[in-house]
Amino acid sequence: MLAVLVEELKKTGLQAAPADHCYAGPEDVSCDFCTGRKLKAVKSCLVCLASYCEKHLQPHYESPAFKKHKLVEPSKNLQENICSHHDEVMKMFCRTDQQCICYLCSVDEHKGHNTVSAAAERTERQRELQGSRQQIQQRIQDREKDVKVLQQEVEALNRSAEKTVEDSEKIFTELIRLIEKRRSEVKQQIRSQQETEVSRVEELQEKLEQEITELKRKDAELEQLSHTEDHNQFLHNYPSLSQLSESTDTSSINIRPLRYFEDVTAAVSELRDQLQDILRQTWTNISSLVSQVDVLLPQPEPKTRAGFLKYSCELTLDPNTANENLLLSEGNRNVTVINQQQSYSSHRDRFIELYQVLSRESLTGHCYWEVEWRGTGVYVAVTYKNISRAGRGRECVFGYNDKSWALSCYQNSFTFWFNNIKTPVSGPQSSSIGVYLDHRAGILSFYNVSETMTLLHRVQTTFTQPLHAGLKLFGCGSTAELCKLP
């Protein structure tokens, strides 16, 4: 009996009870043929539309009837392969409607459409997928290179910043040490001169006090002699007592009508003011150079007016710079040439001869503004604040020097000016000019304002200081306005 039992076990196979981890959990695909507690499926059949555990999958490996069945990884979405209209497996693909269909759909709702087998469409899409993957992998490589470049840039930026801070600290320390040295020298010189003069005065004071003592003694003797009753005795002693010793030179006691060391204080104050002016002027340049450090490339210029308006800035005209024949109005945004001079206060920033005016606000970063003009003509300009103000020479005129850039707008033409170089500009005539500035990137662009924004002229340069918007007008009655943008 035992031998018979062993033979039976050899035929049927001795199977151990499956471990708990072989049973299907809530997130697993379970075998569709297990009864009771179901095992995990190891494959799903796209023909049978069922999932199988290892045991129930064996016929697919052993029986020739299942040889052409397509086995895939376990899937819970097998029913999505069944046509909801015909309850058939969807083995076709409609390229016209871009969806999977069954054979009956291809001769019914999708009749006349471009249909192929799902396998053929998969082959085509597989080729596209490989191309997409190659593009993605190439982009990954490109982005990894970009990340590496950015990391190197950050490291270089940090090294440059640290070195510049260290060098700046040394330079400022040297400057402070130099000022301290000069301060000590002035103090020492004042103390030395103070000691010398005090010594001279005290020496003279001592001589005078000695003379006073001698004179008082002589006065007492003379007083005593004056009371002598013996005439002969008086006459005998008088000659010797009446002679006075040589007096101190009184001319040396004359006091200079000057303020002792107050002039030194005034000179030091003047030095302070000069240093403040130098620091103020150079600081603008230093600050601008610091702000120009920009690792990332500039953003491309907008194409539409709505894009430019994102960078709009509120500008006003500075009355302290306006020529006396310019009338400002509408919150210092509108300027008009008039015959009557305005009663502006005297100011060093005012343009004396030219009908020019600057904006009160300085321009850095991304800026956009618009100018409306009417009349004979106008120069729409940007300039450094240190442009000359007096006279009519090149150093004062917008666009005629290396401190300003200007687009001249007349009724029939546009012209761009920089450093007295004239560049003709073609473009549709317009009374509305848009100006776009990317200070860090050194980009200055002039546009004919419309929804599509026609470019008139673009400048690529390097700005070393903050800029100011400028307007120059021609002819009495000409007017221009810095538009109030939404």
Side-chain angles (χ1 to χ4, degrees):
M1 291 177 63
L2 182 58
V4 172
L5 181 58
V6 170
E7 288 300 323
E8 288 293 327
L9 288 174
K10 286 181 179 181
K11 293 179 181 180
T12 58
L14 182 61
Q15 297 181 355
D20 285 344
H21 65 81
C22 293
Y23 289 106
E27 302 299 325
D28 298 319
V29 178
S30 60
C31 177
D32 292 323
F33 291 88
C34 284
T35 58
R37 189 176 181 184
K38 294 181 177 293
L39 296 175
K40 290 181 182 179
V42 294
K43 293 289 182 181
S44 293
C45 179
L46 297 182
V47 178
C48 303
L49 297 178
S51 298
Y52 300 91
C53 65
E54 191 70 44
K55 174 184 176 182
H56 293 113
L57 184 63
Q58 291 304 315
H60 277 75
Y61 292 139
E62 297 171 355
S63 174
F66 298 107
K67 187 175 182 180
K68 295 184 177 181
H69 285 204
K70 180 68 173 178
L71 297 177
V72 296
E73 293 301 312
S75 172
K76 292 184 177 182
N77 303 319
L78 292 176
Q79 290 303 315
E80 294 180 0
N81 294 326
I82 301 297
C83 177
S84 59
H85 293 93
H86 304 103
D87 204 26
E88 293 285 341
V89 177
M90 294 186 291
K91 298 182 179 181
M92 308 287 290
F93 184 81
C94 177
R95 289 178 171 174
T96 304
D97 295 330
Q98 291 293 302
Q99 66 181 69
C100 293
I101 59 175
C102 68
Y103 176 75
L104 295 178
C105 288
S106 66
V107 297
D108 193 357
E109 295 92 338
H110 297 265
K111 184 178 181 180
H113 290 189
N114 183 8
T115 59
V116 295
S117 68
E121 183 66 16
R122 165 62 185 273
T123 302
E124 180 69 22
R125 296 292 178 89
Q126 188 73 23
R127 284 196 294 268
E128 294 179 4
L129 183 146
Q130 292 301 323
S132 298
R133 286 199 63 200
Q134 290 177 359
Q135 293 179 0
I136 291 174
Q137 290 169 1
Q138 183 62 46
R139 288 181 64 180
I140 291 173
Q141 293 178 4
D142 294 341
R143 292 298 176 263
E144 288 176 343
K145 290 180 181 178
D146 291 341
V147 169
K148 188 174 181 179
V149 169
L150 290 177
Q151 289 175 341
Q152 293 173 347
E153 288 294 331
V154 168
E155 292 173 358
L157 179 67
N158 289 336
R159 287 195 300 270
S160 177
E162 291 300 325
K163 187 176 185 304
T164 303
V165 168
E166 182 179 348
D167 293 343
S168 299
E169 285 292 323
K170 289 180 180 179
I171 294 171
F172 278 112
T173 301
E174 292 174 3
L175 181 60
I176 293 171
R177 187 183 298 115
L178 178 60
I179 294 175
E180 286 289 338
K181 180 181 178 182
R182 292 290 181 255
R183 181 187 68 84
S184 178
E185 289 175 353
V186 170
K187 180 180 177 181
Q188 183 178 357
Q189 190 175 359
I190 292 172
R191 294 304 186 194
S192 176
Q193 187 67 16
Q194 176 190 12
E195 184 178 348
T196 300
E197 290 303 309
V198 168
S199 177
R200 287 179 56 199
V201 172
E202 288 178 345
E203 181 180 354
L204 180 58
Q205 182 180 355
E206 184 178 355
K207 289 181 180 180
L208 290 175
E209 289 176 350
Q210 289 176 356
E211 185 176 346
I212 290 171
T213 302
E214 180 65 22
L215 290 172
K216 286 182 177 180
R217 185 186 62 78
K218 181 68 70 174
D219 182 59
E221 290 177 350
L222 289 174
E223 182 183 8
Q224 184 178 0
L225 180 61
S226 68
H227 293 90
T228 301
E229 295 179 357
D230 188 343
H231 300 306
N232 293 331
Q233 185 69 27
F234 176 87
L235 293 173
H236 180 267
N237 293 330
Y238 176 74
S240 62
L241 292 176
S242 62
Q243 293 180 357
L244 299 177
S245 61
E246 186 177 350
S247 175
T248 303
D249 186 7
T250 56
S251 62
S252 63
I253 308 176
N254 292 334
I255 304 301
R256 293 177 179 271
L258 297 174
R259 301 175 302 164
Y260 306 108
F261 294 103
E262 284 79 357
D263 289 339
V264 178
T265 303
V268 174
S269 297
E270 183 180 358
L271 173 62
R272 178 199 60 196
D273 296 339
Q274 292 175 353
L275 286 175
Q276 285 180 341
D277 290 340
I278 293 173
L279 290 174
R280 190 181 301 110
Q281 294 171 5
T282 56
W283 173 249
T284 301
N285 187 33
I286 293 172
S287 178
S288 176
L289 291 173
V290 172
S291 64
Q292 287 178 21
V293 177
D294 194 353
V295 176
L296 299 178
L297 294 175
Q299 296 295 321
E301 272 185 46
K303 301 297 183 183
T304 64
R305 185 168 182 263
F308 282 105
L309 289 177
K310 294 179 181 178
Y311 303 112
S312 64
C313 53
E314 189 76 19
L315 297 182
T316 56
L317 300 172
D318 186 357
N320 290 330
T321 66
N323 179 273
E324 291 183 343
N325 284 95
L326 296 180
L327 173 64
L328 303 185
S329 60
E330 297 183 21
N332 289 337
R333 288 186 293 105
N334 187 288
V335 56
T336 305
V337 180
I338 61 174
N339 286 326
Q340 183 180 0
Q341 289 190 345
Q342 300 299 296
S343 57
Y344 293 130
S345 60
S346 177
H347 201 283
R348 63 181 182 180
D349 291 340
R350 191 172 311 286
F351 289 100
I352 305 301
E353 299 291 338
L354 300 169
Y355 295 161
Q356 295 185 162
V357 61
L358 297 183
S359 67
R360 186 190 304 272
E361 299 78 12
S362 61
L363 304 169
T364 56
H366 290 80
C367 304
Y368 175 76
W369 66 98
E370 293 177 357
V371 176
E372 284 279 353
W373 67 277
R374 294 181 298 278
T376 305
V378 64
Y379 275 29
V380 179
V382 296
T383 178
Y384 297 143
K385 191 173 183 179
N386 61 352
I387 188 173
S388 297
R389 312 302 173 99
R392 306 181 66 88
R394 287 175 47 186
E395 68 278 3
C396 301
V397 184
F398 293 153
Y400 283 44
N401 47 67
D402 60 358
K403 295 181 179 181
S404 58
W405 297 255
L407 181 73
S408 68
C409 308
Y410 290 93
Q411 294 180 349
N412 298 318
S413 66
F414 292 116
T415 306
F416 177 77
W417 290 88
F418 172 68
N419 207 15
N420 204 29
I421 298 175
K422 177 181 179 181
T423 305
V425 174
S426 61
Q429 297 304 305
S430 174
S431 61
S432 184
I433 303 298
V435 186
Y436 172 75
L437 172 67
D438 186 345
H439 192 280
R440 287 187 175 183
I443 295 174
L444 174 65
S445 302
F446 298 90
Y447 283 87
N448 180 352
V449 176
S450 64
E451 290 303 318
T452 55
M453 300 294 290
T454 303
L455 177 65
L456 297 174
H457 191 75
R458 177 183 289 115
V459 178
Q460 178 70 65
T461 184
T462 299
F463 299 117
T464 59
Q465 304 175 34
L467 294 164
H468 287 258
L471 295 172
K472 177 186 177 185
L473 289 83
F474 297 89
C476 186
S478 294
T479 182
E481 180 180 2
L482 296 174
C483 301
K484 192 174 182 64
L485 300 177

